[in-house]
mmCIF file of all heavy atoms in Angstrom:
data_model
loop_
_atom_site.group_PDB
_atom_site.id
_atom_site.type_symbol
_atom_site.label_atom_id
_atom_site.label_comp_id
_atom_site.label_asym_id
_atom_site.label_seq_id
_atom_site.Cartn_x
_atom_site.Cartn_y
_atom_site.Cartn_z
ATOM 1 N N SER A 570 -15.173 -58.254 27.592
ATOM 2 C CA SER A 570 -14.121 -58.423 26.562
ATOM 3 C C SER A 570 -13.305 -59.694 26.824
ATOM 4 O O SER A 570 -12.500 -60.087 25.983
ATOM 5 C CB SER A 570 -13.021 -57.220 26.617
ATOM 6 O OG SER A 570 -12.558 -57.143 27.924
ATOM 7 N N TYR A 571 -13.485 -60.423 27.900
ATOM 8 C CA TYR A 571 -12.775 -61.586 28.182
ATOM 9 C C TYR A 571 -13.203 -62.659 27.152
ATOM 10 O O TYR A 571 -14.401 -62.874 26.947
ATOM 11 C CB TYR A 571 -13.137 -62.124 29.614
ATOM 12 C CG TYR A 571 -12.219 -61.533 30.652
ATOM 13 C CD1 TYR A 571 -12.205 -60.236 31.008
ATOM 14 C CD2 TYR A 571 -11.265 -62.365 31.335
ATOM 15 C CE1 TYR A 571 -11.413 -59.627 31.956
ATOM 16 C CE2 TYR A 571 -10.357 -61.790 32.284
ATOM 17 C CZ TYR A 571 -10.509 -60.549 32.631
ATOM 18 O OH TYR A 571 -9.649 -59.920 33.492
ATOM 19 N N ALA A 572 -12.230 -63.257 26.467
ATOM 20 C CA ALA A 572 -12.551 -64.087 25.311
ATOM 21 C C ALA A 572 -13.030 -65.439 25.756
ATOM 22 O O ALA A 572 -13.789 -66.148 25.014
ATOM 23 C CB ALA A 572 -11.242 -64.282 24.442
ATOM 24 N N PHE A 573 -12.710 -65.946 27.018
ATOM 25 C CA PHE A 573 -13.026 -67.277 27.261
ATOM 26 C C PHE A 573 -13.414 -67.447 28.761
ATOM 27 O O PHE A 573 -12.868 -66.804 29.694
ATOM 28 C CB PHE A 573 -11.759 -68.247 27.061
ATOM 29 C CG PHE A 573 -12.044 -69.658 27.428
ATOM 30 C CD1 PHE A 573 -12.874 -70.488 26.733
ATOM 31 C CD2 PHE A 573 -11.462 -70.166 28.707
ATOM 32 C CE1 PHE A 573 -13.011 -71.879 27.168
ATOM 33 C CE2 PHE A 573 -11.647 -71.423 29.152
ATOM 34 C CZ PHE A 573 -12.479 -72.358 28.371
ATOM 35 N N THR A 574 -14.394 -68.201 28.972
ATOM 36 C CA THR A 574 -14.762 -68.607 30.361
ATOM 37 C C THR A 574 -15.247 -70.098 30.259
ATOM 38 O O THR A 574 -15.992 -70.439 29.374
ATOM 39 C CB THR A 574 -15.936 -67.782 30.989
ATOM 40 O OG1 THR A 574 -16.303 -68.348 32.230
ATOM 41 C CG2 THR A 574 -17.086 -67.626 30.098
ATOM 42 N N PRO A 575 -14.851 -70.972 31.165
ATOM 43 C CA PRO A 575 -15.259 -72.352 31.087
ATOM 44 C C PRO A 575 -16.763 -72.592 31.360
ATOM 45 O O PRO A 575 -17.232 -73.651 31.142
ATOM 46 C CB PRO A 575 -14.451 -73.043 32.196
ATOM 47 C CG PRO A 575 -13.319 -72.096 32.483
ATOM 48 C CD PRO A 575 -13.823 -70.721 32.189
ATOM 49 N N MET A 576 -17.497 -71.523 31.849
ATOM 50 C CA MET A 576 -18.865 -71.605 32.114
ATOM 51 C C MET A 576 -19.607 -70.558 31.374
ATOM 52 O O MET A 576 -20.100 -69.588 31.966
ATOM 53 C CB MET A 576 -19.085 -71.428 33.697
ATOM 54 C CG MET A 576 -18.407 -72.454 34.541
ATOM 55 S SD MET A 576 -19.061 -74.112 34.292
ATOM 56 C CE MET A 576 -17.751 -75.028 35.026
ATOM 57 N N PRO A 577 -19.622 -70.630 30.048
ATOM 58 C CA PRO A 577 -20.365 -69.652 29.312
ATOM 59 C C PRO A 577 -21.906 -69.741 29.450
ATOM 60 O O PRO A 577 -22.386 -70.783 30.029
ATOM 61 C CB PRO A 577 -19.963 -70.048 27.774
ATOM 62 C CG PRO A 577 -19.752 -71.533 27.844
ATOM 63 C CD PRO A 577 -19.204 -71.706 29.212
ATOM 64 N N PRO A 578 -22.606 -68.780 29.033
ATOM 65 C CA PRO A 578 -24.077 -68.902 29.049
ATOM 66 C C PRO A 578 -24.557 -70.193 28.425
ATOM 67 O O PRO A 578 -24.071 -70.535 27.386
ATOM 68 C CB PRO A 578 -24.556 -67.575 28.340
ATOM 69 C CG PRO A 578 -23.388 -66.603 28.437
ATOM 70 C CD PRO A 578 -22.133 -67.456 28.430
ATOM 71 N N GLY A 579 -25.566 -70.783 29.128
ATOM 72 C CA GLY A 579 -26.001 -72.063 28.607
ATOM 73 C C GLY A 579 -25.576 -73.123 29.543
ATOM 74 O O GLY A 579 -26.193 -74.249 29.561
ATOM 75 N N SER A 580 -24.578 -72.986 30.375
ATOM 76 C CA SER A 580 -24.179 -73.882 31.377
ATOM 77 C C SER A 580 -25.210 -73.942 32.430
ATOM 78 O O SER A 580 -25.874 -72.946 32.830
ATOM 79 C CB SER A 580 -22.785 -73.538 32.011
ATOM 80 O OG SER A 580 -21.825 -73.422 30.992
ATOM 81 N N THR A 581 -25.540 -75.142 32.982
ATOM 82 C CA THR A 581 -26.575 -75.297 33.913
ATOM 83 C C THR A 581 -25.963 -75.824 35.272
ATOM 84 O O THR A 581 -24.890 -76.356 35.315
ATOM 85 C CB THR A 581 -27.626 -76.328 33.501
ATOM 86 O OG1 THR A 581 -26.876 -77.597 33.182
ATOM 87 C CG2 THR A 581 -28.250 -75.842 32.204
ATOM 88 N N LEU A 582 -26.764 -75.480 36.365
ATOM 89 C CA LEU A 582 -26.207 -75.977 37.626
ATOM 90 C C LEU A 582 -27.414 -76.311 38.603
ATOM 91 O O LEU A 582 -28.532 -75.655 38.367
ATOM 92 C CB LEU A 582 -25.402 -74.872 38.296
ATOM 93 C CG LEU A 582 -25.900 -73.423 38.472
ATOM 94 C CD1 LEU A 582 -26.631 -73.291 39.763
ATOM 95 C CD2 LEU A 582 -24.788 -72.459 38.285
ATOM 96 N N PHE A 583 -27.279 -77.209 39.527
ATOM 97 C CA PHE A 583 -28.280 -77.457 40.520
ATOM 98 C C PHE A 583 -27.497 -77.936 41.696
ATOM 99 O O PHE A 583 -26.373 -78.416 41.587
ATOM 100 C CB PHE A 583 -29.293 -78.404 39.974
ATOM 101 C CG PHE A 583 -28.718 -79.818 39.526
ATOM 102 C CD1 PHE A 583 -28.409 -80.812 40.485
ATOM 103 C CD2 PHE A 583 -28.472 -80.072 38.211
ATOM 104 C CE1 PHE A 583 -27.886 -82.021 40.099
ATOM 105 C CE2 PHE A 583 -27.974 -81.276 37.858
ATOM 106 C CZ PHE A 583 -27.658 -82.184 38.782
ATOM 107 N N GLY A 584 -28.169 -77.817 42.904
ATOM 108 C CA GLY A 584 -27.490 -78.283 44.081
ATOM 109 C C GLY A 584 -28.400 -78.222 45.291
ATOM 110 O O GLY A 584 -29.635 -77.996 45.291
ATOM 111 N N THR A 585 -27.771 -78.302 46.480
ATOM 112 C CA THR A 585 -28.404 -78.382 47.744
ATOM 113 C C THR A 585 -27.622 -77.592 48.816
ATOM 114 O O THR A 585 -26.501 -77.169 48.607
ATOM 115 C CB THR A 585 -28.554 -79.822 48.256
ATOM 116 O OG1 THR A 585 -27.267 -80.292 48.341
ATOM 117 C CG2 THR A 585 -29.417 -80.714 47.286
ATOM 118 N N VAL A 586 -28.358 -77.335 49.923
ATOM 119 C CA VAL A 586 -27.773 -76.672 51.117
ATOM 120 C C VAL A 586 -27.873 -77.515 52.262
ATOM 121 O O VAL A 586 -28.938 -78.076 52.575
ATOM 122 C CB VAL A 586 -28.430 -75.292 51.403
ATOM 123 C CG1 VAL A 586 -27.847 -74.625 52.628
ATOM 124 C CG2 VAL A 586 -28.386 -74.416 50.188
ATOM 125 N N ARG A 587 -26.745 -77.881 52.838
ATOM 126 C CA ARG A 587 -26.721 -78.688 54.083
ATOM 127 C C ARG A 587 -27.253 -77.869 55.239
ATOM 128 O O ARG A 587 -26.695 -76.819 55.637
ATOM 129 C CB ARG A 587 -25.340 -79.228 54.363
ATOM 130 C CG ARG A 587 -25.193 -80.227 55.515
ATOM 131 C CD ARG A 587 -23.957 -81.054 55.453
ATOM 132 N NE ARG A 587 -22.744 -80.278 55.742
ATOM 133 C CZ ARG A 587 -21.514 -80.757 55.731
ATOM 134 N NH1 ARG A 587 -21.308 -81.981 55.342
ATOM 135 N NH2 ARG A 587 -20.482 -79.987 55.959
ATOM 136 N N LYS A 588 -28.255 -78.429 55.979
ATOM 137 C CA LYS A 588 -28.851 -77.639 57.074
ATOM 138 C C LYS A 588 -27.931 -77.344 58.209
ATOM 139 O O LYS A 588 -27.965 -76.315 58.889
ATOM 140 C CB LYS A 588 -30.136 -78.391 57.557
ATOM 141 C CG LYS A 588 -31.243 -78.526 56.463
ATOM 142 C CD LYS A 588 -32.464 -79.214 57.100
ATOM 143 C CE LYS A 588 -32.216 -80.698 57.312
ATOM 144 N NZ LYS A 588 -32.118 -81.465 56.075
ATOM 145 N N TRP A 589 -26.994 -78.290 58.418
ATOM 146 C CA TRP A 589 -26.206 -78.321 59.732
ATOM 147 C C TRP A 589 -25.228 -77.080 59.713
ATOM 148 O O TRP A 589 -25.138 -76.433 60.694
ATOM 149 C CB TRP A 589 -25.313 -79.588 59.788
ATOM 150 C CG TRP A 589 -24.583 -79.759 61.009
ATOM 151 C CD1 TRP A 589 -25.029 -80.011 62.200
ATOM 152 C CD2 TRP A 589 -23.149 -79.695 61.117
ATOM 153 N NE1 TRP A 589 -23.987 -80.050 63.131
ATOM 154 C CE2 TRP A 589 -22.849 -79.893 62.469
ATOM 155 C CE3 TRP A 589 -22.151 -79.396 60.171
ATOM 156 C CZ2 TRP A 589 -21.529 -79.898 62.893
ATOM 157 C CZ3 TRP A 589 -20.802 -79.445 60.681
ATOM 158 C CH2 TRP A 589 -20.581 -79.620 61.999
ATOM 159 N N ASP A 590 -24.635 -76.706 58.593
ATOM 160 C CA ASP A 590 -23.661 -75.699 58.571
ATOM 161 C C ASP A 590 -23.746 -74.754 57.398
ATOM 162 O O ASP A 590 -22.997 -73.899 57.165
ATOM 163 C CB ASP A 590 -22.245 -76.199 58.692
ATOM 164 C CG ASP A 590 -21.861 -77.115 57.472
ATOM 165 O OD1 ASP A 590 -22.802 -77.485 56.643
ATOM 166 O OD2 ASP A 590 -20.715 -77.486 57.283
ATOM 167 N N GLY A 591 -24.823 -74.966 56.554
ATOM 168 C CA GLY A 591 -25.016 -74.117 55.348
ATOM 169 C C GLY A 591 -24.104 -74.427 54.219
ATOM 170 O O GLY A 591 -23.945 -73.547 53.296
ATOM 171 N N LEU A 592 -23.464 -75.640 54.127
ATOM 172 C CA LEU A 592 -22.585 -75.956 53.094
ATOM 173 C C LEU A 592 -23.422 -76.038 51.800
ATOM 174 O O LEU A 592 -24.435 -76.781 51.724
ATOM 175 C CB LEU A 592 -21.834 -77.332 53.307
ATOM 176 C CG LEU A 592 -21.063 -77.847 52.223
ATOM 177 C CD1 LEU A 592 -19.800 -76.913 51.927
ATOM 178 C CD2 LEU A 592 -20.538 -79.287 52.452
ATOM 179 N N ILE A 593 -23.048 -75.291 50.676
ATOM 180 C CA ILE A 593 -23.658 -75.310 49.462
ATOM 181 C C ILE A 593 -22.932 -76.161 48.541
ATOM 182 O O ILE A 593 -21.714 -76.039 48.206
ATOM 183 C CB ILE A 593 -23.675 -73.894 48.882
ATOM 184 C CG1 ILE A 593 -24.452 -72.931 49.882
ATOM 185 C CG2 ILE A 593 -24.491 -73.890 47.546
ATOM 186 C CD1 ILE A 593 -24.051 -71.461 49.649
ATOM 187 N N THR A 594 -23.622 -77.236 47.938
ATOM 188 C CA THR A 594 -22.969 -78.176 46.962
ATOM 189 C C THR A 594 -23.727 -78.004 45.709
ATOM 190 O O THR A 594 -24.952 -78.233 45.573
ATOM 191 C CB THR A 594 -23.103 -79.611 47.506
ATOM 192 O OG1 THR A 594 -22.560 -79.746 48.831
ATOM 193 C CG2 THR A 594 -22.422 -80.530 46.547
ATOM 194 N N LEU A 595 -22.974 -77.679 44.619
ATOM 195 C CA LEU A 595 -23.516 -77.479 43.308
ATOM 196 C C LEU A 595 -22.895 -78.404 42.273
ATOM 197 O O LEU A 595 -21.680 -78.561 42.236
ATOM 198 C CB LEU A 595 -23.233 -76.019 42.876
ATOM 199 C CG LEU A 595 -24.022 -74.902 43.467
ATOM 200 C CD1 LEU A 595 -23.740 -73.599 42.767
ATOM 201 C CD2 LEU A 595 -25.572 -75.137 43.375
ATOM 202 N N TYR A 596 -23.762 -78.990 41.421
ATOM 203 C CA TYR A 596 -23.314 -79.777 40.279
ATOM 204 C C TYR A 596 -23.441 -78.844 39.116
ATOM 205 O O TYR A 596 -24.506 -78.340 38.812
ATOM 206 C CB TYR A 596 -24.223 -81.044 40.128
ATOM 207 C CG TYR A 596 -23.818 -81.882 38.982
ATOM 208 C CD1 TYR A 596 -22.935 -82.921 39.023
ATOM 209 C CD2 TYR A 596 -24.439 -81.664 37.673
ATOM 210 C CE1 TYR A 596 -22.634 -83.736 37.916
ATOM 211 C CE2 TYR A 596 -24.152 -82.384 36.656
ATOM 212 C CZ TYR A 596 -23.161 -83.473 36.777
ATOM 213 O OH TYR A 596 -22.946 -84.241 35.642
ATOM 214 N N VAL A 597 -22.306 -78.628 38.335
ATOM 215 C CA VAL A 597 -22.347 -77.666 37.241
ATOM 216 C C VAL A 597 -21.993 -78.372 35.949
ATOM 217 O O VAL A 597 -20.928 -79.134 35.899
ATOM 218 C CB VAL A 597 -21.324 -76.523 37.469
ATOM 219 C CG1 VAL A 597 -21.290 -75.504 36.309
ATOM 220 C CG2 VAL A 597 -21.662 -75.860 38.771
ATOM 221 N N GLN A 598 -22.805 -78.292 34.952
ATOM 222 C CA GLN A 598 -22.615 -78.843 33.653
ATOM 223 C C GLN A 598 -22.277 -77.687 32.669
ATOM 224 O O GLN A 598 -23.103 -76.882 32.433
ATOM 225 C CB GLN A 598 -23.888 -79.582 33.103
ATOM 226 C CG GLN A 598 -23.768 -80.141 31.759
ATOM 227 C CD GLN A 598 -22.683 -81.294 31.539
ATOM 228 O OE1 GLN A 598 -22.906 -82.282 32.212
ATOM 229 N NE2 GLN A 598 -21.757 -81.102 30.690
ATOM 230 N N SER A 599 -21.039 -77.665 32.157
ATOM 231 C CA SER A 599 -20.603 -76.686 31.242
ATOM 232 C C SER A 599 -21.280 -76.835 29.851
ATOM 233 O O SER A 599 -21.450 -77.897 29.461
ATOM 234 C CB SER A 599 -19.068 -76.700 31.055
ATOM 235 O OG SER A 599 -18.668 -75.699 30.064
ATOM 236 N N ALA A 600 -21.522 -75.759 29.249
ATOM 237 C CA ALA A 600 -22.093 -75.745 27.870
ATOM 238 C C ALA A 600 -21.011 -76.168 26.977
ATOM 239 O O ALA A 600 -21.416 -76.542 25.752
ATOM 240 C CB ALA A 600 -22.720 -74.388 27.573
ATOM 241 N N LEU A 601 -19.818 -76.140 27.285
ATOM 242 C CA LEU A 601 -18.710 -76.555 26.422
ATOM 243 C C LEU A 601 -18.402 -78.046 26.649
ATOM 244 O O LEU A 601 -18.125 -78.434 27.776
ATOM 245 C CB LEU A 601 -17.479 -75.743 26.595
ATOM 246 C CG LEU A 601 -17.629 -74.250 26.479
ATOM 247 C CD1 LEU A 601 -16.303 -73.581 26.912
ATOM 248 C CD2 LEU A 601 -17.954 -73.856 25.001
#
Side-chain angles (χ1 to χ4, degrees):
S570 60
Y571 274 66
F573 174 76
T574 173
M576 300 296 166
S580 303
T581 57
L582 56 91
F583 58 82
T585 57
V586 178
R587 185 162 69 183
K588 296 182 288 290
W589 185 71
D590 61 350
L592 177 66
I593 304 159
T594 304
L595 287 183
Y596 178 91
V597 181
Q598 174 70 59
S599 175
L601 302 176

